[in-house]
Amino acid sequence: MKSVGCIFIPRGGQPYDLLLKQREDGSFSVAEKLIEMKEYFGFDGYFINQETSINPEFIERYKAFTKTLVDAGVYTQWYDTVDDEKGKLSYQPSLIPSHSSFVRVIRRVESLTTPSL
């Protein structure tokens, strides 16, 4: 059993762009702090629950942010709700190709899908 923290970006429009701010060298200060917190408190990783659309200009940056976590050995789950080409919120009953690049381009990343009703 894994112990994970949750990064919840609700539909109400909590700004996700602050999460993705980069330093001049391209590193992500928030990702580095998340890694430090994981190590300090001894849990396994994070569940990223992005429940709002993403501006398409941020998609590649979001993937790089997530890759930073994974490359540091952080167990990372991505909730499969965002179309990876247009950034639109789109609930699906399973992982579909237009949502999968958030998990395909990053090794060891898992996606949670909405269970069939």
Side-chain angles (χ1 to χ4, degrees):
M1 179 179 301
K2 300 219 182 273
S3 174
V4 296
C6 181
I7 301 168
F8 180 57
I9 312 296
R11 293 181 206 123
Q14 179 178 335
Y16 60 85
D17 56 323
L18 299 175
L19 188 72
L20 306 176
K21 283 195 175 221
Q22 291 177 280
R23 296 185 184 105
E24 287 186 24
D25 67 359
S27 63
F28 295 93
S29 58
V30 173
E32 290 172 7
K33 286 296 179 189
L34 290 169
I35 293 164
E36 287 178 27
M37 286 179 14
K38 174 239 181 235
E39 291 171 356
Y40 181 83
F41 290 108
F43 56 92
D44 297 298
Y46 295 95
F47 168 54
I48 301 173
N49 188 359
Q50 176 72 41
E51 293 226 13
T52 187
S53 295
I54 298 172
N55 185 322
E57 73 182 57
F58 286 102
I59 291 173
E60 291 306 315
R61 193 179 316 174
Y62 219 136
K63 291 176 189 178
F65 171 87
T66 306
K67 187 173 184 325
T68 299
L69 296 175
V70 172
D71 287 351
V74 176
Y75 175 81
T76 306
Q77 292 179 328
W78 173 264
Y79 187 56
D80 174 38
T81 59
V82 177
D83 178 277
D84 61 5
E85 294 174 8
K86 298 176 184 161
K88 300 274 187 210
L89 187 67
S90 171
Y91 296 102
Q92 301 296 322
S94 63
L95 184 63
I96 61 173
S98 67
H99 292 192
S100 64
S101 74
F102 285 101
V103 294
R104 282 192 185 159
V105 298
I106 304 166
R107 61 188 176 354
R108 295 190 336 230
V109 175
E110 295 182 20
S111 174
L112 294 180
T113 57
T114 306
S116 297
L117 300 177

